[in-house]
Amino acid sequence: MNYHDHYQQALHHPQQFWQEQASQLAWYKFPQQIVSSDETAPDWFADGQLNISYLALDFHVEQGRGEQTAIFYDSPVTGVKQAYSYAELKDQVARFAGVLKKQGVQKGDTVVIYMPMIPQAAIAMLAVARLGAIHSIVFGGFAAHELAIRIDDAKPKVIISASHGIEVTRLIPYKPLLDKALQKASHKPECSIIYQRQVAPELQVEAQLQPGRDLDWDSAMQHATDADPVPVNSADPLYILYTSGTTGKPKGVVRDTGGYAVALHYSMSAIYNCHAGDVIFTASDVGWVVGHSYIVYGPLLAGCSTVLYEGKPVFTPDAGAFWRVCQDYKVKAIFAAPTAFRAIRKEDPEAALLEQYDLSVLETLFMAGERLDPPTYQWASDKLKRPVIDHWWQTESGWPIAANLTGIERLPVKPGSATVPVPGYDIQVLDDSGGPVKNGEQGNIAIKLPLPPGCLTTIWNNPARYQSGYLRQFPGFYASGDGGYKDEDGYIFIMGRTDDVINVAGHRLSTGEMEEVVASHPAVAECCVVAKQDSLKGQQPVGLVIMKNGIDMSAEQLQQELVALVREHIGALACFKIAVPVKRLPKTRSGKILRKIVRSIVDGEDYQVPSTIDDPDSLKEIEAALENTG
Ligand code: COA
Ligand code: AMP
């Protein structure tokens, strides 16, 4: 079948289509009900029972793939390389599930994981899933305050962490950050399990364990017995993953088990053309959805070998790092954020380092996480001389919404486009009142309900936010928060967010959250944070700040303190480095900040002064303030 037939089948015969995909997995109880009739919250495979950890590990061992590598751990920051076969990984996961079980973790309990990119992070995820419990991973770049917010919302029974992470050469002591978060949080988990990393002496940090609360991973493993997989219902949550919304409070996206397993398994072959025995290298972090889906669950469900890479695209040690990984592990598909390739291009514009490596097995380069700008597409495509595939998705969807389905039919690429809707997704472009727009015209990207399997089922502890955040704006549709257009061939172009979410180096962040932090500084009367275009990281936050009357503080001092405050509250990954004092902010007569205009000014673009503006002089003042600060 070609792409068109495949897509039409999923659109018009979803029951048969998804039943066929579900039949590729070894369920404990195969579902008789494929999808419920509730379009806004469809229950996928409601009466099916499965365990995703079993499907990702035990199943492959039973099929005779026990000796095949499941995870290649490659850590240029420590010099460590390790391969875990499916049989070894299964044993480690079963044993660690035994550790968790001994601590009382059961089906339905929540467990927070705050770890660097080490195999124990994947082992922890799969062990939680083995017990039918729900994991919630917090990305290591988030500060203690952010971790505390997530602990209070997820209310974990146990937290799993590690002594430290390593960012190029800087050591990140995770355990003290965890201790600080636990002090701040109102919810107190019963225990923490800490993995003490054993690395070279100059990279070593010994975490201090608190007797009675903290357990050492290694000694707990020695005293535990293996735990078997626990069957769960398809709709039972597998994980909660917090993502930035427009307010200061992150949203806990809830993922089901069965729908997700079916969707990921399908995507591994249909989109990535990866099958049992193939090697996929996804250069992300287990703290992001990309890491959940295509470092851990997707590749393992498909019986692939996955590369877990603890390093950067550049400086660990150079811009040839990705090519070296592709050569060393015979990588067939690589997946990364465009920022990574912009960083490689900056360091090695002619891609001279590429010549040093044998990439004969590499077939395709996939990019997502942010818009793939045509110049980066062109560079990667020219240098690699292989298909470069942009694809669009979100934490909420859990797997690609628009892509070029290389495993079904590779369509011609149009630079700037994520290609076509993935089977299961009916993508439409709507105007602000919910009407369709013409091909080529920009609008709001929406998905007609019901969403296919694998997508979010609700927001943890806050189903009303699911309704108000995604379903209310356009009745009958899921509002993606992205804007863009469809061309006459049905190709989808995603141009950027329509809300206050920004994307810095492929990391999704909320300007609303940054504003809350900046506004909490005693010298700040009012502020506005917007994104400025950045040639490396895509976007970079910029704060415009009105100081309180009577405050005697230099602009430099204010900026320094605000930068430190955002780093302390949100984390280094926010990359908040610019805060400019201004006298006024442009507002409508009803008091709403004209953010679109502020964004244009920050980017040095032309703009039209709207008739609703209260104080047109504020615009010139902002231009001058930005010019003064360079
Ligand atoms: N733990 C602790 N700190 C972290 C971290 C982690 N896991 N990840 C990032 N940080 C810190 C960095 O050390 C840096 O701190 P600094 O301001 O003190 O230097 C800050 O957060 C910003 O990090 P980053 O955005 O990664 O910038 P960088 O300058 O260190 O690296 C790139 C630039 C382009 C190499 C890097 O951004 C990159 O690899 N981008 C691709 C992102 C990606 O894969 N995203 C996946 C989403 S699909
Ligand atoms: P996250 O939830 O962190 O995966 O971020 C999702 C957001 O990243 C989307 O809503 C988009 O704004 C952006 N994004 C992801 N992939 C793409 C892409 N291929 N093209 C354009 N934007 C993208």
Side-chain angles (χ1 to χ4, degrees):
M1 266 202 288
N2 61 18
Y3 161 74
H4 180 261
D5 294 344
H6 215 77
Y7 183 77
Q8 292 302 323
Q9 210 214 337
L11 189 66
H12 299 297
H13 308 284
Q15 303 271 350
Q16 289 99 307
F17 184 86
W18 290 111
Q19 183 178 38
E20 166 62 24
Q21 303 314 326
S23 71
Q24 312 291 317
L25 296 178
W27 299 73
Y28 293 126
K29 179 169 175 251
F30 190 76
Q32 300 307 308
Q33 298 164 29
I34 300 304
V35 61
S36 64
S37 55
D38 177 2
E39 292 221 324
T40 55
D43 226 355
W44 282 98
F45 315 113
D47 60 338
Q49 287 202 328
L50 74 167
N51 182 285
I52 200 164
S53 182
Y54 165 80
L55 293 176
L57 300 169
D58 310 52
F59 172 74
H60 298 302
V61 176
E62 288 164 16
Q63 298 297 305
R65 277 197 289 279
E67 297 311 306
Q68 185 201 308
T69 298
I71 293 182
F72 288 111
Y73 167 53
D74 186 291
S75 170
V77 292
T78 59
V80 176
K81 291 179 178 188
Q82 272 172 334
Y84 287 76
S85 69
Y86 269 96
E88 286 165 341
L89 189 62
K90 186 209 118 185
D91 288 349
Q92 292 278 312
V93 168
R95 182 59 57 92
F96 192 65
V99 170
L100 293 170
K101 195 171 171 183
K102 212 166 158 186
Q103 295 310 310
V105 175
Q106 301 177 14
K107 184 172 164 182
D109 286 337
T110 52
V111 175
V112 161
I113 301 174
Y114 183 60
M115 288 185 115
M117 279 287 285
I118 54 177
Q120 287 69 26
I123 291 169
M125 291 166 79
L126 290 157
V128 172
R130 195 170 185 87
L131 297 177
I134 304 162
H135 58 70
S136 184
I137 306 185
V138 180
F139 175 61
F142 280 120
H145 172 77
E146 290 290 317
L147 177 56
I149 292 177
R150 288 154 174 80
I151 290 172
D152 274 340
D153 197 61
K155 300 203 172 20
K157 189 161 214 168
V158 170
I159 297 195
I160 306 164
S161 189
S163 50
H164 62 296
I166 299 149
E167 272 288 294
V168 190
T169 51
R170 193 160 58 97
L171 301 188
I172 313 281
Y174 276 57
K175 180 58 172 43
L177 286 168
L178 171 61
D179 288 342
K180 205 166 158 192
L182 287 172
Q183 265 172 13
K184 281 175 173 256
S186 317
H187 173 78
K188 307 290 175 200
E190 287 165 26
C191 108
S192 318
I193 304 172
I194 310 297
Y195 181 73
Q196 299 272 20
R197 299 186 70 176
Q198 300 298 326
V199 284
E202 67 277 15
L203 297 173
Q204 187 65 32
V205 173
E206 189 77 15
Q208 297 301 313
L209 302 191
Q210 185 178 308
R213 190 196 71 190
D214 300 336
L215 287 182
D216 171 64
W217 174 296
D218 282 334
S219 43
M221 288 286 266
Q222 273 168 20
H223 298 106
T225 46
D226 294 357
D228 287 333
V230 174
V232 301
N233 291 329
S234 176
D236 285 341
L238 170 64
Y239 65 76
I240 308 163
L241 182 55
Y242 289 88
T243 190
S244 300
T246 47
T247 68
K249 195 173 174 334
K251 328 185 239 202
V253 163
V254 177
R255 188 86 58 218
D256 70 342
T257 306
Y260 187 54
V262 171
L264 289 187
H265 188 268
Y266 168 67
S267 69
M268 285 303 296
S269 60
I271 297 174
Y272 300 100
N273 195 25
C274 281
H275 308 272
D278 290 339
V279 184
I280 179 165
F281 167 30
T282 301
S284 179
D285 187 290
V286 290
W288 303 117
V289 70
V290 174
H292 282 64
S293 296
Y294 296 110
I295 295 176
V296 181
Y297 288 114
L300 297 181
L301 283 169
C304 297
S305 306
T306 182
V307 180
L308 193 124
Y309 176 71
E310 189 184 24
K312 298 263 174 182
V314 290
F315 311 131
T316 58
D318 59 27
F322 278 11
W323 319 136
R324 196 263 308 155
V325 169
C326 289
Q327 169 187 272
D328 286 359
Y329 306 111
K330 300 192 168 33
V331 169
K332 179 177 177 187
I334 174 171
F335 176 176
T339 299
F341 289 90
R342 288 197 291 270
I344 295 171
R345 182 179 57 177
K346 191 166 166 230
E347 296 302 313
D348 183 18
E350 294 311 317
L353 291 166
L354 196 55
E355 302 305 319
Q356 296 177 11
Y357 300 98
D358 173 5
L359 300 190
S360 49
V361 182
L362 183 67
E363 273 183 9
T364 317
L365 165 59
F366 293 90
M367 298 223 216
E370 57 181 315
R371 181 170 146 76
L372 173 56
D373 52 295
T376 306
Y377 164 77
Q378 216 59 61
W379 182 85
S381 165
D382 291 350
K383 301 299 174 203
L384 269 173
K385 300 184 176 56
R386 286 168 177 78
V388 173
I389 305 294
D390 181 12
H391 58 325
W392 167 63
W393 51 299
Q394 314 179 306
T395 304
E396 289 85 344
S397 68
W399 66 295
I401 308 170
N404 200 336
L405 289 99
T406 65
I408 294 175
E409 179 193 5
R410 185 150 57 78
L411 298 172
V413 168
K414 294 193 189 187
S417 169
T419 318
V420 289
V422 167
Y425 290 99
D426 184 356
I427 303 178
Q428 305 210 4
V429 188
L430 307 178
D431 63 23
D432 288 345
S433 51
V437 303
K438 291 199 195 95
N439 285 342
E441 273 178 24
Q442 287 216 30
N444 303 284
I445 307 277
I447 303 166
K448 193 163 183 308
L449 297 173
L451 294 172
C455 297
L456 83 167
T457 51
T458 187
I459 297 295
W460 186 254
N461 285 335
N462 202 346
R465 196 170 176 193
Y466 173 54
Q467 295 288 329
S468 63
Y470 302 101
L471 306 182
R472 198 160 294 158
Q473 191 180 1
F474 305 116
F477 292 86
Y478 163 90
S480 71
D482 279 305
Y485 64 95
K486 224 184 229 191
D487 75 4
E488 64 288 354
D489 298 323
Y491 277 53
I492 309 289
F493 291 74
I494 306 294
M495 304 308 289
R497 297 286 304 193
T498 52
D499 54 17
D500 296 330
V501 168
I502 63 170
N503 199 311
V504 182
H507 304 144
R508 175 167 159 181
L509 297 162
S510 157
T511 53
E513 189 172 11
M514 289 187 219
E515 283 175 5
E516 276 183 25
V517 176
V518 171
S520 71
H521 188 285
V524 175
E526 202 181 349
C527 70
C528 161
V529 177
V530 294
K532 177 180 165 58
Q533 301 304 318
D534 183 84
S535 60
L536 175 65
K537 297 191 176 183
Q539 292 186 316
Q540 190 194 7
V542 172
L544 301 180
V545 183
I546 304 177
M547 278 162 84
K548 284 182 184 155
N549 286 337
I551 299 279
D552 183 20
M553 187 186 276
S554 70
E556 290 73 29
Q557 177 70 18
L558 179 69
Q559 173 163 283
Q560 222 174 50
E561 290 187 15
L562 292 177
V563 167
L565 199 65
V566 174
R567 214 177 152 93
E568 162 78 15
H569 278 254
I570 299 178
L573 87 160
C575 291
F576 182 85
K577 297 198 169 137
I578 306 168
V580 182
V582 294
K583 288 207 181 66
R584 287 168 290 187
L585 288 167
K587 289 185 181 170
T588 59
R589 284 184 202 110
S590 57
K592 214 169 154 231
I593 297 174
L594 291 157
R595 288 166 187 283
K596 204 163 163 227
I597 293 199
V598 176
R599 277 198 294 270
S600 303
I601 298 177
V602 163
D603 281 330
E605 289 169 356
D606 292 340
Y607 57 88
Q608 288 217 321
V609 182
S611 56
T612 50
I613 194 164
D614 188 35
D615 186 0
D617 290 346
S618 58
L619 302 174
K620 292 285 166 231
E621 280 174 20
I622 293 179
E623 281 179 33
L626 286 166
E627 227 162 74
N628 287 341
T629 55

